[in-house]
């Protein structure tokens, strides 16, 4: 399993090449590479990356016309609909931080479908959203947190069904905790004025939690 996991690891250039293959209906050739942003890397770097992907069974070479094709093994990383959307999002963000538009473009999932899923990941503190200025515009960029890395790494051994996320802490549980704190304060033996102030603040917090 560790061997498969290591083989599945993608760098940003690996991602670009596989994304190019997806955009070209699974196959790409030298002309596609030349007309993409990958040409900035130079021939040597591109050849090294292609060789690495081929060694890891992520692309195959058609010797007749020199074209490359993405393999099912590589599709299973980010482009297999049987893998939960949240897992594909975390896998992508483990490779690079992305805006919602970039996530949508790479994973081929509409922003409408993604929005709720990414929001669950954010509320579960698995990803962080931060506004960044790009081309004179403020863009929401999402990056994976250490907790998100732990969760997606666990899927390699535990599968996807055992992973629970998107479940916010029970509001009732939080309110019960606040009630317990208020009770402890009321029973404590210290200045009544300070006690009243603390209880008032906690009661206000409790009201906000109910909103």
């Amino acid at each position: 399993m560790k061997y498969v996991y290591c083989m599945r690891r993608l760098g940003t250039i690996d991602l670009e090449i596989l994304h190019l293959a997806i955009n070209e209906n699974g196959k790409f050739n030298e002309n596609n590479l030349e007309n993409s942003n990958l040409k900035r890397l130079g021939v040597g770097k591109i050849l090294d990356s292609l060789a690495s992907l081929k060694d890891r069974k992520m692309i195959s070479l058609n010797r007749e016309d020199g074209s490359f094709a993405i393999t099912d093994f590589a599709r299973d990383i980010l482009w297999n609909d049987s893998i939960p959307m949240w897992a594909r999002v975390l896998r992508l963000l483990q490779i690079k931080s992305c805006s919602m538009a970039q996530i949508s473009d790479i994973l081929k999932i509409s922003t409408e479908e993604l929005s709720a899923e990414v929001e669950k990941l954010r509320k579960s503190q698995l990803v962080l959203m931060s506004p960044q200025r790009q081309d004179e515009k403020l863009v929401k960029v999402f990056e994976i947190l250490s907790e998100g890395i732990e969760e997606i790494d666990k899927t390699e051994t535990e599968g996807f069904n055992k992973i629970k996320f998107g479940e916010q802490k029970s509001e009732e549980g939080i309110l019960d905790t606040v009630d317990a704190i208020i009770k402890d304060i009321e029973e404590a033996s210290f200045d009544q004025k300070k006690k009243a102030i603390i209880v008032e603040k906690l009661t206000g917090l409790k009201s906000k939690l109910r909103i």
Side-chain angles (χ1 to χ4, degrees):
M1 180 64 74
K2 282 188 177 180
Y3 175 66
V4 173
Y5 184 44
C6 290
M7 286 180 68
R8 211 198 299 269
R9 290 285 193 180
L10 294 178
T12 54
I13 297 174
D14 297 329
L15 176 62
E16 278 191 75
I17 293 173
L18 295 179
H19 184 216
L20 174 64
I22 292 295
N23 285 340
E24 299 295 334
N25 295 317
K27 291 182 64 176
F28 64 97
N29 56 32
E30 184 179 342
N31 290 332
N32 299 132
L33 289 167
E34 179 64 27
N35 292 324
S36 73
N37 287 330
L38 286 160
K39 66 180 179 182
R40 74 188 187 281
L41 301 172
V43 174
K45 183 65 176 177
I46 291 175
L47 290 177
D48 287 344
S49 299
L50 291 173
S52 174
L53 287 170
K54 185 174 179 294
D55 289 343
R56 287 179 285 156
K57 316 297 183 187
M58 293 189 184
I59 59 173
S60 59
L61 172 64
N62 183 339
R63 296 190 181 278
E64 291 182 6
D65 60 9
S67 66
F68 293 91
I70 186 171
T71 63
D72 289 340
F73 179 71
R75 284 183 184 274
D76 284 346
I77 302 173
L78 297 173
W79 298 283
N80 186 334
D81 290 341
S82 67
I83 294 174
M85 193 186 305
W86 63 265
R88 284 177 278 158
V89 170
L90 287 180
R91 281 180 175 178
L92 172 58
L93 295 181
Q94 198 170 12
I95 301 168
K96 59 178 289 188
S97 299
C98 297
S99 66
M100 186 67 77
Q102 288 172 322
I103 297 173
S104 175
D105 176 51
I106 293 171
L107 298 184
K108 304 306 177 191
I109 303 171
S110 70
T111 54
E112 290 77 12
E113 290 180 89
L114 282 169
S115 293
E117 207 75 0
V118 173
E119 183 62 12
K120 285 180 187 177
L121 291 170
R122 190 189 67 78
K123 286 184 175 179
S124 299
Q125 299 182 339
L126 301 182
V127 304
L128 174 70
M129 186 281 288
S130 58
Q132 294 183 16
R133 190 167 293 280
Q134 297 179 0
D135 298 326
E136 303 304 318
K137 294 181 181 179
L138 273 179
V139 178
K140 294 179 181 178
V141 174
F142 298 89
E143 60 182 286
I144 193 168
L145 296 173
S146 57
E147 294 82 358
I149 293 173
E150 289 177 12
E151 288 299 306
I152 197 59
D153 284 354
K154 281 195 295 185
T155 63
E156 295 295 328
T157 54
E158 299 180 14
F160 301 105
N161 295 330
K162 291 185 179 180
I163 307 299
K164 302 295 182 185
F165 83 98
E167 299 175 359
Q168 291 178 274
K169 292 180 180 178
S170 167
E171 184 179 281
E172 289 184 6
I174 296 173
L175 294 175
D176 288 343
T177 301
V178 174
D179 283 337
I181 294 171
I182 290 174
K183 184 179 178 182
D184 288 343
I185 291 171
E186 288 176 337
E187 293 175 354
S189 56
F190 61 88
D191 184 80
Q192 292 295 320
K193 189 174 181 180
K194 286 184 178 179
K195 185 187 295 186
I197 292 172
I198 295 171
V199 169
E200 183 181 356
K201 288 181 179 178
L202 286 170
T203 302
L205 174 61
K206 187 175 174 181
S207 297
K208 288 180 180 178
L209 286 170
R210 283 200 175 101
I211 295 175

